[in-house]
């Protein structure tokens, strides 16, 4: 049976394994539902940071496009239930995916913790200033501490350059989703958290969790190795909130992303080339777990799409994501016990 997939993007200066441990998304206590892939960024960072190279040099949006192609063609992934999650710089990349004309159509929902959302003045090229998602709704869950010392909540005085104020940023996403106004506010956990949501009908399409007294980190009730920056544990575990958020969203199957009825023998030369390039810079580890998943059914191997996105720069161009040992994806099958 096809399984949901979560891509989890670490923060700047982190290793994917550290982020895996912090999120607890590989713990069946919180997640017995989805495969989680933890990509490792080149030089422990992602597109969207002031120190990141130009996209013409390293493009993690294009990398994500190709990574998804690789995963859905090799494993039994439910294409209607693919999600993106990120912390800090990884949260910034998650917003770039949500604002991508192409990739916004491939993810059902997004979740961000302490998202690093830089204004153009802080970056080598404009990135966050003109999101262009190609669909609605774009469901977004965002955690942020009001004492974040790295990405200031109000966007003022952020150390590495100006960032967008979280409230205004999310109001913009609510407007994109067709919701004007203040939304609804609710106090949680003895007023340690204020949740603000923008509703479409009875369903929140954008949700902001303001963590009072919290710093920069992944929200959890247990202590972590970055508690000096996080300013300690919080009253809830982000993993459970994220999984519940994702479970509420799925893409409608429209059949316009890939051609139906492709046989394995009909895989295009273009996609074959793309897959070989992905393999050059992605090392798959933890395959003993993934081997327990069923292979994609014949009708799911739709490897002859029309690859015409500018964001997949491996398609007929000179772009190649750098081949370095740090470009690793750790794939964890949390259904191993089932």
């Amino acid at each position: 049976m096809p399984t949901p997939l979560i891509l989890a993007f670490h923060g700047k200066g982190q290793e994917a394994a550290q982020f895996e441990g912090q999120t607890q998304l590989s713990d069946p206590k919180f997640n017995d539902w989805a495969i989680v892939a933890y990509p490792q960024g080149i030089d422990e960072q992602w597109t969207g940071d002031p120190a990141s190279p130009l996209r013409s040099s390293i493009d993690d949006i294009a990398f994500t496009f190709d990574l998804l192609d690789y995963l859905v063609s090799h494993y039994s992934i439910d294409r209607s239930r693919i999600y993106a999650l990120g912390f800090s710089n990884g949260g910034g990349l998650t917003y770039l995916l949500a604002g991508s004309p192409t990739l916004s159509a491939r993810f059902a929902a997004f979740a961000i913790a302490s998202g690093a959302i830089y204004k153009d003045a802080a970056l080598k090229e404009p990135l966050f200033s003109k999101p262009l998602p190609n669909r609605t709704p774009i469901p977004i869950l965002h955690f942020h501490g009001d004492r974040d010392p790295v990405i200031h909540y109000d966007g003022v005085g952020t150390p590495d350059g100006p960032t967008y104020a979280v409230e205004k940023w999310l109001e913009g996403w609510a407007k994109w989703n067709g919701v004007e106004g203040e939304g609804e506010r609710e106090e949680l956990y003895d007023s340690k958290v204020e949740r603000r949501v923008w509703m479409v009908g009875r369903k929140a399409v954008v949700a902001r969790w303001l963590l009072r007294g919290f710093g920069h980190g992944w929200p959890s009730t247990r202590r972590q190795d970055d508690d000096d920056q996080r300013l300690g544990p919080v009253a809830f575990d982000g993993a459970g909130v994220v999984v519940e958020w994702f479970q509420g969203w799925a893409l409608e199957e429209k059949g316009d992303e890939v051609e139906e009825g492709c046989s394995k023998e009909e895989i295009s030369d273009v996609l074959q080339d793309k897959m070989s390039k992905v393999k050059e810079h992605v090392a798959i580890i933890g395959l003993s777990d993934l081997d327990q998943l069923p292979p994609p059914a014949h009708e799911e191997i739709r490897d002859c799409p029309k690859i015409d996105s500018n964001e997949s720069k491996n398609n007929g161009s000179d772009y190649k994501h750098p081949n370095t040992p740090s470009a690793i994806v750790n794939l964890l099958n949390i259904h191993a016990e089932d």
Side-chain angles (χ1 to χ4, degrees), residues 69-317:
D69 279 353
Y70 182 88
L71 294 175
V72 301
S73 65
H74 283 70
Y75 305 105
S76 185
I77 303 297
D78 183 345
R79 297 184 184 210
S80 70
R81 290 188 174 274
I82 298 176
Y83 308 91
L85 171 152
F87 160 62
S88 192
N89 174 215
L93 176 60
T94 301
Y95 272 121
L96 294 178
L97 303 179
S100 156
T102 302
L103 285 168
S104 60
R106 302 187 70 177
F107 291 97
F110 304 86
I112 296 94
S114 304
I117 320 153
Y118 286 95
K119 294 184 177 180
D120 290 350
L123 301 169
K124 296 181 176 71
E125 59 188 333
L127 290 173
F128 297 95
S129 55
K130 294 181 179 180
L132 293 171
N134 72 354
R135 68 179 179 92
T136 56
I138 299 290
I140 289 176
L141 168 68
H142 187 120
F143 304 114
H144 217 107
D146 63 359
R147 294 182 59 193
D148 192 323
V150 180
I151 305 297
H152 294 179
Y153 190 80
D154 61 5
V156 177
T158 297
D160 288 342
T163 51
Y164 289 93
V166 173
E167 293 290 317
K168 293 294 184 183
W169 176 256
L170 291 173
E171 287 169 2
W173 279 103
K175 187 175 181 179
W176 175 267
N177 282 294
V179 186
E180 301 277 359
E182 281 292 304
E184 301 177 12
R185 298 174 188 262
E186 180 183 11
E187 296 290 325
L188 303 173
Y189 304 106
D190 295 326
S191 295
K192 294 176 182 176
V193 174
E194 183 196 65
R195 181 172 61 190
R196 183 184 181 191
V197 296
W198 289 265
M199 309 289 289
V200 174
R202 295 185 174 183
K203 195 170 188 179
V205 68
V206 176
R208 183 274 283 144
W209 288 51
L210 171 62
L211 283 60
R212 295 189 174 103
F214 189 65
H216 189 76
W218 179 263
S220 70
T221 58
R222 68 178 186 177
R223 295 201 171 276
Q224 296 183 0
D225 55 9
D226 62 345
D227 274 348
D228 288 346
Q229 180 174 270
R230 271 202 332 156
L231 305 180
V234 297
F236 69 95
D237 287 297
V241 177
V242 165
V243 169
E244 183 178 5
W245 174 257
F246 286 160
Q247 287 175 332
W249 297 99
L251 294 175
E252 294 182 8
E253 297 280 2
K254 295 183 179 179
D256 55 355
E257 224 180 53
V258 293
E259 295 178 7
E260 301 288 344
C262 300
S263 69
K264 203 166 186 178
E265 290 72 26
E266 293 174 321
I267 298 175
S268 69
D269 291 339
V270 171
L271 189 59
Q272 288 272 34
D273 182 58
K274 283 166 56 109
M275 291 301 98
S276 67
K277 289 179 179 177
V278 171
K279 289 178 182 179
E280 287 178 9
H281 70 266
V282 175
I284 302 296
I285 59 179
L287 286 180
S288 60
D289 290 333
L290 277 174
D291 285 345
Q292 298 183 44
L293 287 175
H298 175 78
E299 62 271 16
E300 294 171 338
I301 304 176
R302 300 166 181 166
D303 287 330
C304 47
K306 296 177 181 178
I307 308 296
D308 57 2
S309 167
N310 290 330
E311 296 192 276
S312 180
K313 294 189 176 182
N314 285 344
N315 175 28
S317 80

